[in-house]
Amino acid sequence: MDAPSTTQVQQVREITRIERIGAHSHIRGLGLNDSLEARNVSQGMVGQLKARRAAGLILEMIKEGKIAGRALLIAGQPGTGKTAIAMGIAQALGSDTPFTAMSGSEIFSLEMSKTEALTQAFRRSIGVRIKEEAEFIEGEVVEIQIDRPATGAGAKIGKMTLKTTEMETIYDLGQKMIEALTKEKVQAGDVIAIDKASGKISRLGRSFTRAKDYDAMGPQTKFVQCPEGELQKRKEVVHTVTLHEIDVINSRSQGFLALFSGDTGEIKSEVREQINDKVAEWREEGKAEIVPGVLFIDEVHMLDIECFSFLNRALESDMAPILIMATNRGITKIRGTNQQSPHGIPIDLLDRLLIITTKPYEADEIKQILKIRCEEEDVEISDDALNVLTKIGRETSLRYSIQLITLSSIISRNRKAREVTVDDVKRVYEVFLDEARSSDNLREYEQYFMFNDLTTDQRPTEAAMET
Amino acid sequence: MTATAKSVWIEKLKTAKKAGLLQNDRKKIHYTFDDQTEMVEEYDATTNVLLIRKWRQKSSTGLKTLTTSDSWIFEVGQNYETRPTMDNTLGMTESTTTPIFSRNDKSDCFEIRIRNLPYSIDTYQLTIDKDKREFVLRTTSRKYFKRFSIADLDRLNLPLEETNLSYSHANNTLIICYKKPKAILDFEKQVHDELKKLNMKKEGDSDCAVS
């Protein structure tokens, strides 16, 4: 029985995708010490000591969970780490506290009104910790077998055998479960628990009986006993759901299927009121606990005056999460009006905000960040090349020089070198223009571009429209 | 003790809102209890044998969350629809060869049938866990295991006696019999007398009156 199972597992492994590297995937926290002072370089964060210390204080406030409806504004030039700080807060909060990240422009949708989108975002950021009895399938995986159709297309089908010390059952797997199992990298010998209601798989560890002398395993591999008794169990579990999820489940007869399809539509305010009452009741009875989370709105200047006044009101509710906003605008027009205001946010809302500012990075900080990004992207780089990149970062922008890392590593790989050198960086720098050189280029060859003859009298009005 | 347990349960049945329907030679009775729990019983109209008893519980909190469902739970009998189809939300179903557990009562005994159990009769070990009031079925081949209880015995708080228990195996099916004690037979008679008073609607009657 062992031989077929191992070959099958290898099949499972080969379709596992590696995680992609995002712009902020190097951030693992805020990088603070126990007294909430920011360490200069820690957890992927560099510099911005004051802003990070401020964020740390906010983090403590969120963790205490007593204060509702506070708002924080992170203001600073482009590329000074505003989003990074927000991500750091999210990482430091852990997975049990809801953190919703959205961009200001996301609320403009034809299917949903602006305030509905904002309300949903608010309610996504409030968690309710409920104790519920749930049904689980818990057992040791004896064998997973996934058959793909010969044509390559079409649904995959599979079989999984689970066992406890007393019994054994074969399950037929559907497409969704196959994907989930592949994602969790479940193999024969793992002990897993599947929540019957949500289909969520948790790996509890590897079975003792499967432990062999020469198994290659990570340091975090945990060995557990094979479960006893029946495969299906009822257990009392504590889990966190967001208010939005409860809204959706209760607003339709269809139930939680809408959560997966993403088609939630507008939710009636009566449903929300009813849920608020019920949740308050649960809390009094000790059945549930409210976990206020964080709503992060990036590019907050994209919201218009209606949204801002909605925010004013929404922050007063005792069910409001902590609101974190970020903007890179200075004194500019409030969207939807002709009024000028700092950060494009009305003064009355600004008055409710705590404001942190981020400052442009110093040369050595830029170097640190580039170094961290190189590690994150698995790029070996020589010191000289790093210095050149730092110089480029200082003179153009940090984002531009970060982008050069990957590209120059491709060039160095093409000439089969192990390290990125100054020449590689130079070549990429010549091929790809940064924003300033591109503007210069435009200015120089302006007259050769399309629709150029109009620009002489159009330019002033266009400049006025740009805010 | 038994007498009080019995009267509690029969009072509960008496006070529940009941609606009856006679359909396809089956007497169907729908009970709604004070806590909004629903129970449906189906009896054979000629022999008065209980064919189906199923329950539906409203979640205690009133609101639906992910784990609560509003499907029927069968105590006796089986769902008419054979098996849940593949497109259920879990994306995983038991294979068609897994044993199916169901209770089908006879007039003189509680009968439990487990289909799709191909192992020979000497594989099975049936014991009684008196503390938990459960029957425990084990297989020496470690392929099947089940703890189950007979709710009727629990309701009247009757002791579980090994002497009433027997089992046999034929056609891939394990049949477990538990002889109904006299208290159960008396009680069932009482329930039938009570149900005779209930106004049964014939199929085709449009309104379903609640008495």
Side-chain angles (χ1 to χ4, degrees):
Chain A
M1 195 189 252
D2 251 18
S5 70
T6 44
T7 54
Q8 286 306 331
V9 169
Q10 268 165 2
Q11 273 193 3
V12 173
R13 265 201 210 128
E14 89 195 4
I15 46 172
T16 311
R17 280 185 219 96
I18 51 152
E19 272 173 49
R20 301 189 65 204
I21 300 159
H24 294 107
S25 51
H26 58 282
I27 287 160
R28 288 177 301 280
L30 279 171
L32 304 176
N33 62 18
D34 292 340
S35 55
L36 296 180
E37 302 285 351
R39 294 193 204 99
N40 201 14
V41 181
S42 173
Q43 295 188 318
M45 298 287 261
V46 177
Q48 308 293 5
L49 300 182
K50 260 194 203 159
R52 274 159 61 200
R53 179 165 163 71
L57 293 173
I58 297 288
L59 183 68
E60 278 306 295
M61 184 176 86
I62 300 166
K63 276 187 182 158
E64 268 173 36
K66 289 218 176 77
I67 311 273
R70 289 298 163 84
L72 176 75
L73 177 70
I74 309 174
Q77 294 94 319
T80 48
K82 298 181 296 295
T83 315
I85 287 178
M87 291 299 146
I89 294 178
Q91 293 283 345
L93 280 173
S95 57
D96 216 26
T97 312
F99 183 94
T100 320
M102 65 182 291
S103 165
S105 46
E106 256 172 62
I107 62 156
F108 297 97
S109 147
L110 283 177
E111 276 172 18
M112 218 184 273
S113 71
K114 288 175 279 187
T115 47
E116 172 71 18
L118 273 178
T119 315
Q120 287 195 2
F122 262 72
R123 291 179 76 87
R124 262 197 197 106
S125 324
I126 293 276
V128 185
R129 203 173 282 149
I130 321 176
K131 209 191 271 171
E132 267 188 322
E133 203 171 71
E135 258 184 77
F136 280 93
I137 300 173
E138 189 183 291
E140 179 188 328
V141 180
V142 180
E143 179 178 14
I144 300 185
Q145 180 187 334
I146 295 169
D147 304 320
R148 257 159 298 179
T151 51
K156 279 181 275 190
I157 49 166
K159 270 187 171 46
M160 174 166 68
T161 314
L162 288 180
K163 71 160 190 185
T164 67
T165 50
E166 312 273 9
M167 68 182 288
E168 195 173 293
T169 303
I170 301 170
Y171 291 91
D172 288 331
L173 304 176
Q175 183 81 15
K176 213 174 93 194
M177 192 43 90
I178 291 176
E179 268 164 35
L181 288 168
T182 325
K183 208 174 113 211
E184 287 288 325
K185 300 182 185 119
V186 174
Q187 314 175 357
D190 286 344
V191 177
I192 60 171
I194 302 171
D195 182 358
K196 273 191 92 176
S198 63
K200 196 171 158 279
I201 303 171
S202 7
R203 279 177 66 182
L204 308 177
R206 275 191 77 76
S207 170
F208 270 117
T209 50
R210 291 279 184 146
K212 294 193 199 94
D213 282 350
Y214 303 111
D215 260 1
M217 57 201 162
Q220 64 274 64
T221 310
K222 206 169 71 182
F223 283 100
V224 291
Q225 292 288 3
C226 181
E228 288 174 355
E230 284 174 71
L231 271 166
Q232 303 210 15
K233 286 175 192 146
R234 291 189 76 83
K235 264 203 247 173
E236 189 137 279
V237 285
V238 180
H239 58 164
T240 313
V241 291
T242 67
L243 277 183
H244 177 70
E245 282 169 331
I246 303 182
D247 286 353
V248 173
I249 295 165
N250 286 284
S251 72
R252 322 197 126 199
S253 50
Q254 262 294 320
F256 60 93
L257 285 177
L259 264 184
F260 297 113
S261 65
D263 165 37
T264 55
E266 298 221 348
I267 292 163
K268 290 201 190 87
S269 61
E270 299 93 80
V271 174
R272 291 218 169 96
E273 262 162 44
Q274 193 194 338
I275 285 162
N276 283 353
D277 290 349
K278 211 72 209 187
V279 168
E281 205 174 285
W282 291 349
R283 191 157 59 156
E284 269 166 32
E285 290 166 5
K287 275 185 199 152
E289 199 184 322
I290 304 268
V291 190
V294 177
L295 172 61
F296 172 57
I297 309 181
D298 211 347
E299 316 281 336
V300 74
H301 50 264
M302 292 304 294
L303 299 185
D304 60 13
I305 185 77
E306 289 150 38
C307 298
F308 286 126
S309 66
F310 174 83
L311 285 183
N312 264 339
R313 176 79 189 80
L315 281 175
E316 275 166 14
S317 150
D318 57 353
M319 288 282 222
I322 306 289
L323 180 65
I324 298 181
M325 301 182 278
T327 180
N328 53 19
R329 300 294 157 99
I331 295 173
T332 178
K333 229 189 273 174
I334 303 169
R335 192 168 170 174
T337 65
N338 282 319
Q339 302 292 312
Q340 297 271 330
S341 184
H343 310 298
I345 298 173
I347 300 286
D348 57 342
L349 180 58
L350 273 177
D351 195 30
R352 289 165 194 260
L353 304 178
L354 296 160
I355 301 174
I356 340 184
T357 54
T358 52
K359 306 228 163 42
Y361 288 108
E362 301 295 323
D364 53 334
E365 288 169 347
I366 291 182
K367 193 170 170 182
Q368 270 301 341
I369 295 172
L370 288 170
K371 217 182 204 167
I372 291 173
R373 286 303 302 182
C374 285
E375 272 165 30
E376 183 70 22
E377 294 176 22
D378 237 345
V379 173
E380 296 264 332
I381 193 161
S382 70
D383 276 350
D384 294 342
L386 195 62
N387 285 334
V388 171
L389 271 181
T390 311
K391 191 157 169 277
I392 294 173
R394 217 175 52 220
E395 279 163 16
T396 63
S397 79
L398 180 60
R399 288 218 170 94
Y400 175 72
S401 58
I402 286 177
Q403 301 202 43
L404 294 189
I405 295 176
T406 328
L407 296 169
S408 46
S409 92
I410 293 176
I411 289 191
S412 75
R413 226 183 301 144
N414 273 352
R415 48 177 195 93
K416 307 221 162 26
R418 278 187 51 234
E419 239 184 12
V420 175
T421 59
V422 182
D423 284 341
D424 300 324
V425 178
K426 259 190 196 149
R427 202 162 304 156
V428 185
Y429 183 76
E430 280 159 18
V431 178
F432 295 98
L433 300 185
D434 58 286
E435 176 266 327
R437 275 186 294 154
S438 168
S439 308
D440 282 347
N441 187 34
L442 277 183
R443 241 165 262 137
E444 195 173 330
Y445 299 108
E446 204 174 20
Q447 63 271 33
Y448 303 116
F449 278 83
M450 288 271 286
F451 306 123
N452 186 55
D453 25 329
L454 294 176
T455 47
T456 35
D457 18 280
Q458 291 276 302
R459 175 83 46 81
T461 49
E462 256 178 23
M465 273 171 65
E466 232 177 74
T467 41
Chain B
M1 187 175 73
T2 331
T4 52
K6 180 176 167 182
S7 63
V8 166
W9 175 240
I10 201 137
E11 273 316 306
K12 199 177 169 193
L13 287 182
K14 273 182 185 166
T15 52
K17 275 194 265 177
K18 291 183 281 286
L21 174 74
L22 192 65
Q23 192 181 38
N24 297 341
D25 275 341
R26 282 189 174 199
K27 270 196 279 183
K28 301 184 178 178
I29 300 119
H30 181 275
Y31 301 78
T32 314
F33 298 106
D34 293 341
D35 58 349
Q36 297 302 309
T37 313
E38 294 168 274
M39 178 174 95
V40 166
E41 284 182 340
E42 292 184 18
Y43 291 93
D44 189 313
T46 47
T47 59
N48 266 343
V49 171
L50 180 63
L51 300 170
I52 281 179
R53 181 185 288 147
K54 56 185 179 180
W55 292 83
R56 184 157 69 177
Q57 211 118 31
K58 282 276 184 308
S59 84
S60 54
T61 45
L63 275 179
K64 281 184 267 178
T65 53
L66 272 178
T67 56
T68 52
S69 69
D70 41 9
S71 57
W72 290 95
I73 295 163
F74 281 76
E75 184 189 318
V76 179
Q78 262 178 293
N79 207 336
Y80 301 132
E81 302 134 35
T82 43
R83 284 175 159 268
T85 40
M86 206 52 185
D87 61 359
N88 69 350
T89 48
L90 187 57
M92 178 167 128
T93 44
E94 283 164 2
S95 141
T96 43
T97 56
T98 23
I100 308 166
F101 179 94
S102 69
R103 208 182 109 188
N104 305 66
D105 284 6
K106 292 276 155 61
S107 55
D108 60 340
C109 68
F110 300 114
E111 191 179 279
I112 285 145
R113 283 166 178 265
I114 307 172
R115 280 170 235 275
N116 277 341
L117 269 184
Y119 321 108
S120 62
I121 183 128
D122 49 335
T123 338
Y124 307 103
Q125 295 167 333
L126 191 59
T127 50
I128 291 177
D129 184 341
K130 287 209 162 126
D131 299 334
K132 287 188 180 161
R133 297 188 57 85
E134 275 174 339
F135 300 87
V136 184
L137 175 69
R138 276 174 227 277
T139 47
T140 48
S141 58
R142 314 235 148 190
K143 293 289 183 193
Y144 188 74
F145 176 84
K146 180 93 184 166
R147 302 183 78 98
F148 59 92
S149 56
I150 295 176
D152 301 62
L153 295 171
D154 295 346
R155 281 184 200 121
L156 303 195
N157 214 349
L158 296 170
L160 309 182
E161 305 284 357
E162 305 225 11
T163 47
N164 289 340
L165 198 60
S166 64
Y167 61 97
S168 59
H169 184 265
N171 301 327
N172 275 353
T173 306
L174 181 73
I175 302 167
I176 301 169
C177 276
Y178 189 89
K179 219 172 124 247
K180 284 183 183 170
K182 192 167 177 304
I184 290 279
L185 292 171
D186 290 350
F187 169 75
E188 281 178 354
K189 199 159 171 291
Q190 208 176 338
V191 172
H192 282 305
D193 291 343
E194 193 64 38
L195 289 178
K196 265 183 203 147
K197 294 183 216 156
L198 186 66
N199 174 25
M200 293 299 245
K201 289 278 170 193
K202 295 273 175 5
E203 191 181 16
D205 288 1
S206 55
D207 55 336
C208 190
V210 171
S211 63

